[in-house]
Amino acid sequence: MKFWGYRRVNGGIGVRNHVLVFPTVICASTVAQMISRAVPGTICVSHPHGCGHLGEEREHMIRTMAGFCGNPNVYGVLLVGLGCELLAPNLIVEKLHNTGQRVETISIQAEGGTNNTVTKGKQLTEKLLEEAAGAKRELADVSELFLGTKCGSSDTLSGLTANPALGIACDLLVAEGGTAMISETPEMLGAEHVLARRAANDEVKKRIWEITIAMEANIKAVGVDIRGYEPGPGNIEGGISTIEEKSLGSIRKGGTSTVMQVVRYAEKPSHRGLVIMDGPAHDVIADTGMIAAGAQMIVFTTGRGSPVGAPIAPVIKVSSNSATYNQMKDNIDINAGVILDAGESIKDVGERIFGEIIEVASGKLTKSEMLGHNEFAIHTIGPTV
Amino acid sequence: MKQSAIVIDKRDNVAMALRKLERGEYIQLKIEDRIIDITLSQTIPCKHKFALKDIELGGAIIKYGEVIGLATRKIIKGGHTHVHNVEGLKGRGDKQ
């Protein structure tokens, strides 16, 4: 099976062709926004990071930023720095050059202030945009697709309709040789044994237990009952009683394939097939991490309705019930509620999601893209100094 | 007529309401080739769970064929099964 994508010089394949203006530090955020606004057609993100990352978090941040900027959906990136920050653009460039990504850099102190940086940054970005306009889609094999999965604002129907339907789509993608990722380690608590049983080997099994035991220890260290947080207030109102119940519904979205690998947050998998990324269940933090790990697309299931999108990757939204679909039609692409009220099978809806994945990979816009949703947030792991 | 509730796995001792179910309402649920008759002892909000049989204090609540928590008090057949009478075992920092 094939789709139409953008072949990159490093061999990767993008489903979009974005030019990204990316501040490596919060102090460069406004300048980055000014540059992006001056060059319509570009995308810009903001974040509060770039300084104060101690020890392991420094590497974690570099990996995440470089992974995000190096995603094959990005034709080229302008990195905007200040000049005195911990994560200067050159640190990201080093990683990006390993991937062959097209990159330009600019720093506010070196350029001499906001206005000069915006003027120069605009020229650099215009050049990237001109080059990007020359890229053409070509046929690529579905095995090159890397799908991130997420469930957000879940209800008890998520585990019954939307998540198992997405699971079917993941199984179809994996059968074609592609990659599907599940993350949200807190939503593996109570379902670890189910995932561990499906581990490809002892090392993967060990890692599944390691990440879930570490996550639970972190949660317990706070000294509260996880209920009210996971499941959150909306989940509980939606009928979910415990984290175990939420997890068992949540993991269904990855399908039933063998778990090939467990990677860190924003770490690129070296295996195809079903992979797990260790990370929080926070919708936007998880999406950002999976995109930084190389996912070209996200399928996001929702029970109560979510508008969330992502800056450089299409997000396909699947509702678990028809009431939410009818309430938030402008946000939701596919309604899995038909499983309950129109008698459609989970398999039929799963195949529809898979078909939509191929179409969106070839250029069809998702609702979140049409509305311009571009939520972005990076996971933090260490004390900020 | 639309299905009023659903049981996900044959091992489960809870079902999920697919619409608001009234106290005293009588429903029949098919689990594979078995039929269970239930009269709801409480009003069950749409998408919430109710017990398929009496569950004793400390008894496991089974959904997806797996343990999703324990009963914090006796739950009678047809009773609303949620955070007021079920507790999870994972992530209980309050029990350290």
Side-chain angles (χ1 to χ4, degrees), chain A residues 155-157 159-160 192-193 216 220 223-227 236-242 244-245 248-249, chain B residues 2 6 8 16 18 47-49 63-64 66-68 81-83 86-94 96:
Chain A
D155 62 7
T156 44
L157 295 178
L160 185 69
E192 311 92 329
H193 58 296
E216 193 178 7
K220 281 183 170 175
V224 297
D225 183 349
I226 192 173
R227 281 183 304 172
I236 290 173
E237 202 184 308
I240 299 177
S241 307
T242 64
E244 291 91 332
E245 181 181 9
L248 289 159
Chain B
K2 265 174 70 175
I6 192 164
I8 294 176
M16 183 183 18
L18 295 176
K47 300 191 262 188
H48 283 225
K49 296 178 291 299
K63 184 183 166 187
Y64 300 109
E66 303 280 346
V67 177
I68 64 161
T81 307
H82 199 25
V83 288
V86 179
E87 64 173 355
L89 301 171
K90 294 278 180 177
R92 295 299 301 269
D94 57 323
Q96 292 291 81

Side-chain angles (χ1 to χ4, degrees), chain A residues 35 38-39 78 117-127:
Chain A
I35 294 168
V39 191
L78 173 71
T117 313
V118 172
T119 304
K120 174 91 176 291
K122 181 170 179 277
Q123 289 165 3
L124 292 169
T125 309
E126 279 167 349
K127 185 162 183 302

Side-chain angles (χ1 to χ4, degrees), chain A residues 47-101:
Chain A
H47 59 78
H49 311 297
C51 255
H53 308 297
L54 195 62
E56 192 190 342
E57 188 174 88
R58 178 177 176 275
E59 194 274 331
H60 163 98
M61 279 290 162
I62 293 172
R63 180 175 75 241
T64 307
M65 289 186 189
F68 192 84
C69 295
N71 183 291
N73 290 351
V74 177
Y75 168 82
V77 57
L78 173 71
L79 297 169
V80 187
L82 175 59
C84 54
E85 66 276 23
L86 183 72
L87 301 189
N90 66 308
L91 292 171
I92 313 296
V93 170
E94 282 169 26
K95 296 273 180 187
L96 282 177
H97 277 166
N98 295 337
T99 71
Q101 179 65 288

